[in-house]
Amino acid sequence: MNIYIGNLSYTVKESDLRQVMEDYGTVDSAKLIIDRDTNRSKGFAFVEMPIEAEAINAIKELDGAEYQGRQMVLKEATPKRSY
């Protein structure tokens, strides 16, 4: 399952995010979204967890939890729409 994680502190690194999510199960990938112009984090990321039950538990436990001074938003990522 692909998980959207929003409202992240701009100082969070992919390795930090992976470590937090691995407390809840197997993580295939953690991708922090970076602004091309400023080369800074945009404050959100996507984490891929292959076992759906672990991903659902991570969302349930971490949505609204405080991490590095901000309340994280976690939900199942939806595919990007094409217009």
Side-chain angles (χ1 to χ4, degrees):
M1 176 186 288
N2 197 12
I3 302 169
Y4 164 84
I5 305 175
N7 200 34
L8 292 171
S9 166
Y10 297 120
T11 60
V12 172
K13 296 177 178 63
E14 283 180 3
S15 58
D16 299 333
L17 206 50
R18 178 180 281 274
Q19 190 173 19
V20 167
M21 297 303 288
E22 282 177 342
D23 287 345
Y24 295 89
T26 305
V27 173
D28 277 350
S29 66
K31 179 70 178 150
L32 194 61
I33 306 305
I34 304 295
D35 185 290
R36 277 183 265 183
D37 296 332
T38 63
N39 207 31
R40 281 183 21 155
S41 166
K42 287 190 171 187
F44 67 97
F46 294 94
V47 172
E48 184 70 39
M49 294 182 78
I51 301 170
E52 189 170 338
E54 292 176 350
I56 290 169
N57 186 49
I59 291 170
K60 186 176 78 171
E61 294 292 323
L62 292 174
D63 185 39
E66 190 172 311
Y67 183 63
Q68 292 192 10
R70 302 192 68 174
Q71 276 191 313
M72 295 189 292
V73 174
L74 278 83
K75 57 187 173 185
E76 183 175 357
T78 55
K80 190 174 183 179
R81 288 184 274 168
S82 58
Y83 294 97

